[in-house]
């Protein structure tokens, strides 16, 4: 077994055979000093060229005053360079939005790259196990461009050969703590390249008030809250089915009532019908006037209402067969949204076996055949286990609010969702901080999106019900 020794220790190594006095000394090759100086000079020149290539504006702003001072003196240099910072300051004061968008985020990204990520890159990679130190040399993933947004840093990374996304997903906590962030999310941008998201602050920490009722009726995706990047959260209900899972007090009612609030003008125009199942009698009963005779609370009534919905769906499918493949809401054929507050109470915890079988069969029929003919299901539950909700895979769009266990995240959003940063089990149980906060995984995207639903209070719900009953604008 041979072992490489560092530095000049090899010159002190002496090897003898047991039967002779012959001494073997390894040859030591001395590098000429001029060759060492040439190598150092070449590396310095390459580093300067790389620095100029990566940060041309920053290097130009740094070198220009010095060059002007050497050529023309400090008075001329000050006279020529002073208008630039003065103009930037005036720009920042008069039109802050454009300045931050074009200059501010770029300066912050450069500072974060130099002071946070590049400075700590080597130790974080080695300690977390994403880099290797072999034979005195570090093999590290390559740090790329850093982009700053209003709430997070987006760091581009080129993985080492042989690494996978899961290698990085298993070390999200190491990365977050190593770079001083509360969390970290990983997304595959293209082959061999990742984008790491490090939030600088939480834009969803404050409760969002109820979204105003839309002015015009529509069945397009309705605004029910805000995404983490500041854009409105638009929830699609027509042409899909939505499953909402969350522990008690996680904010499932906020999603349900925000959706109903966004569809209220379309309900009044006759383009949407909302059929409500409220087995707990604690959520949808506040706005019972919005549903009319399409409201059920007892298990028997819920089963009958679901059977009626299936009957409507099948009759509509018979009329659409061979005529149209997708549904367009009209007064004659409105979009039917079935809202179930606690679906597990009807499908798993129902003592009557016949009722449980009827309800499960009706829900399975609606979720497998209802999308094309304009029948959607919005279901909420607390326990996402398979034995509790055995048709959860029939819901294309899923929302995970605060959950009790980390394994439940993948149960709701699908395999690998938590590894991609959907930390629904880390959401705060304090209502003011975590109620309505969750992660959405859409049918068209594997990456979870962090969102927060607007809070619709009891007063808002009663005002909606009173205004709808009176035929006024809510």
């Amino acid at each position: 077994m041979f072992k490489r020794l560092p530095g000049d220790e090899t010159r002190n190594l002496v090897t003898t055979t047991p039967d002779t006095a012959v001494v073997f000394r390894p040859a030591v090759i001395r590098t000429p000093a001029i060759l060492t100086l040439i190598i150092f000079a070449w590396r310095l020149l390459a580093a300067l060229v790389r620095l100029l290539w990566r940060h041309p504006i920053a290097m130009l702003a740094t070198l220009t005053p010095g060059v002007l001072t050497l050529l023309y003196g400090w008075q001329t240099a000050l006279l020529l360079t002073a208008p630039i910072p003065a103009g930037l300051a005036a720009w920042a004061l008069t039109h802050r939005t454009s300045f931050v968008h074009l200059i501010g985020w770029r300066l912050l990204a450069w500072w974060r790259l130099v002071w946070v990520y590049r400075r700590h890159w080597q130790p974080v990679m080695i300690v977390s196990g994403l880099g290797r130190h072999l034979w005195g040399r570090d093999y590290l993933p390559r740090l790329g461009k850093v982009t700053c947004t209003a709430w997070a840093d987006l760091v581009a990374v080129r993985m080492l050969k042989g690494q996978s996304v899961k290698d990085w997903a298993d070390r999200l906590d190491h990365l977050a703590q190593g770079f001083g962030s509360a969390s970290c999310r990983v997304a595959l941008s293209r082959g061999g390249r990742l984008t790491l998201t490090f939030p600088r602050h939480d834009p969803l920490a404050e409760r969002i008030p109820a979204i105003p009722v839309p002015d015009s009726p529509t069945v397009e995706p309705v605004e029910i809250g805000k995404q983490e990047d500041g854009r409105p959260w638009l929830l699609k209900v027509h042409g899909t089915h939505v499953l909402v899972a969350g522990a008690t007090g996680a904010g499932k009612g906020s999603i349900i009532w925000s959706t109903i609030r966004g569809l209220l003008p379309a309900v009044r125009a006759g383009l949407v019908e909302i059929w409500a199942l409220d087995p707990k009698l604690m959520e949808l009963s506040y706005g019972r006037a919005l549903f009319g005779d399409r409201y059920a609370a007892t298990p028997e009534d819920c089963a009958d209402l679901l059977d009626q919905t299936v009957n409507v769906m099948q009759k509509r499918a018979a009329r659409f067969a061979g005529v149209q493949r997708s549904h367009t809401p009209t007064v004659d054929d409105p979009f039917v949204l079935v809202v179930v507050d606690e679906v597990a109470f009807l499908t798993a915890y129902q003592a009557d076996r016949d009722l449980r079988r009827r309800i499960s069969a009706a829900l399975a029929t609606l979720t497998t055949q209802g999308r094309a003919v304009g029948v959607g299901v919005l279901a909420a539950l607390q326990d996402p286990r398979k034995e509790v909700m055995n048709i959860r895979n029939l819901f294309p769009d899923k929302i995970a609010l605060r959950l009790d266990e980390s394994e439940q995240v993948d149960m709701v959003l699908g395999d690998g969702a938590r590894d991609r940063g959907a930390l629904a089990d880390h959401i705060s149980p304090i209502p003011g901080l975590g109620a309505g906060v969750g992660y959405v995984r859409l049918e068209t995207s594997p990456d979870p999106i962090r969102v927060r639903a607007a809070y619709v209070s009891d007063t808002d719900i009663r005002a909606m019900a009173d205004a709808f009953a009176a035929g006024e604008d809510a």
Side-chain angles (χ1 to χ4, degrees):
M1 180 66 66
F2 295 96
K3 182 178 180 181
R4 179 177 294 180
L5 299 179
D8 293 333
E9 293 186 16
T10 53
R11 73 168 68 190
N12 300 321
L13 181 65
V14 177
T15 303
T16 62
T17 61
D19 54 346
T20 63
V22 179
V23 178
F24 299 95
R25 295 184 181 274
V28 178
I29 300 177
R30 296 180 179 273
T31 304
I34 185 63
L35 183 60
T36 302
L37 294 176
I38 292 175
I39 293 175
F40 283 155
W42 171 256
R43 291 180 177 177
L44 179 61
L45 180 61
L48 290 176
V49 172
R50 186 164 55 250
L51 190 63
L52 287 171
W53 174 260
R54 290 181 176 179
H55 311 289
I57 298 178
M59 294 302 299
L60 184 64
T62 303
L63 296 177
T64 299
V67 173
L68 291 177
T69 301
L70 292 176
L71 294 178
Y72 305 106
W74 67 270
Q75 296 91 344
T76 305
L78 181 62
L79 183 63
L80 294 176
T81 58
I84 298 177
L88 292 176
W91 182 12
L93 293 175
T94 56
H95 202 281
R96 178 179 175 83
T97 303
S98 61
F99 176 81
V100 170
H101 180 71
L102 297 175
I103 302 295
W105 296 136
R106 298 175 186 270
L107 291 177
L108 180 61
W110 175 79
W111 174 253
R112 299 279 294 176
L113 170 65
V114 173
W115 185 251
V116 177
Y117 299 106
R118 186 171 292 168
R119 189 162 67 102
H120 299 102
W121 190 253
Q122 189 265 354
V124 172
M125 293 297 105
I126 295 298
V127 172
S128 65
L130 293 170
R132 295 291 185 271
H133 184 84
L134 299 174
W135 301 107
R137 181 178 178 183
D138 290 336
Y139 294 87
L140 304 176
R142 181 172 297 180
L143 176 63
K145 182 180 179 180
V146 175
T147 304
C148 286
T149 64
W151 63 278
D153 297 337
L154 307 180
V155 182
V157 178
R158 178 184 292 179
M159 295 185 292
L160 291 175
K161 300 297 183 182
Q163 283 187 337
S164 65
V165 179
K166 192 176 186 306
D167 296 331
W168 290 75
D170 292 339
R171 295 168 174 83
L172 294 181
D173 291 339
H174 300 79
L175 296 172
Q177 299 302 321
F179 294 113
S181 179
S183 63
C184 174
R185 265 163 278 169
V186 58
L188 181 66
S189 55
R190 54 194 178 97
R193 297 178 184 270
L194 301 174
T195 299
L196 304 178
T197 303
F198 295 97
R200 295 193 304 274
H201 68 277
D202 187 3
L204 304 179
E206 297 182 359
R207 177 178 291 175
I208 304 173
I211 305 296
V213 178
D215 297 329
S216 59
T218 179
V219 293
E220 297 298 323
V222 294
E223 182 180 353
I224 67 169
K226 185 173 68 172
Q227 300 183 32
E228 193 172 32
D229 57 5
R231 294 182 297 174
W233 175 21
L234 303 178
L235 180 64
K236 178 184 178 182
V237 290
H238 180 245
T240 187
H241 306 295
V242 182
L243 178 66
V244 183
T248 302
K252 297 186 291 295
S254 298
I255 295 177
I256 292 175
W257 281 113
S258 294
T259 303
I260 295 174
R261 189 176 178 88
L263 293 174
L264 197 57
V267 173
R268 176 169 295 155
L271 299 177
V272 174
E273 292 180 357
I274 300 178
W275 299 42
L277 281 69
D278 188 20
K280 292 196 305 182
L281 286 171
M282 293 301 296
E283 189 67 50
L284 299 177
S285 59
Y286 276 93
R288 186 168 181 175
L290 297 171
F291 315 121
D293 57 354
R294 302 183 183 94
Y295 174 86
T298 65
E300 294 80 6
D301 293 341
C302 290
D304 293 339
L305 191 62
L306 286 173
D307 289 340
Q308 294 178 30
T309 311
V310 172
N311 188 31
V312 171
M313 180 199 71
Q314 291 175 344
K315 289 182 178 179
R316 189 178 292 181
R319 288 189 290 107
F320 286 179
V323 178
Q324 63 185 67
R325 297 178 57 189
S326 59
H327 174 259
T328 301
T330 61
V331 177
D332 295 330
D333 292 313
F335 168 59
V336 177
L337 179 63
V338 181
V339 180
V340 188
D341 177 35
E342 183 49 61
V343 66
F345 179 81
L346 301 174
T347 60
Y349 305 141
Q350 177 54 237
D352 192 322
R353 184 176 301 177
D354 293 335
L355 282 176
R356 184 170 66 248
R357 185 164 47 247
R358 281 179 58 194
I359 293 172
S360 298
L363 286 174
T365 303
L366 292 174
T367 51
T368 53
Q369 304 177 24
R371 288 206 295 176
V373 295
V375 178
V377 179
L378 172 60
L381 78 160
Q382 297 182 20
D383 191 347
R385 290 177 299 170
K386 193 72 173 180
E387 57 270 20
V388 174
M389 184 65 175
N390 57 5
I391 61 171
R392 66 187 184 201
N393 292 334
L394 299 179
F395 290 83
D397 297 335
K398 305 176 182 68
I399 304 172
L401 301 177
R402 178 174 55 86
L403 297 172
D404 296 327
E405 302 173 0
S406 59
E407 294 81 5
Q408 294 179 349
V409 179
D410 288 349
M411 292 180 188
V412 179
L413 301 180
D415 293 339
R418 195 179 187 280
D419 291 340
R420 292 177 177 268
L423 305 178
D425 54 310
H426 288 180
I427 297 175
S428 174
I430 302 174
L433 297 178
V437 178
Y439 294 86
V440 180
R441 188 170 186 177
L442 302 177
E443 181 183 16
T444 57
S445 175
D447 296 324
I449 303 172
R450 189 167 180 262
V451 294
R452 183 163 192 172
Y455 175 66
V456 183
S457 64
D458 296 347
T459 303
D460 296 327
I461 298 173
R462 291 193 178 96
M464 290 163 52
D466 294 343
F468 183 82
E472 301 172 354
D473 291 334

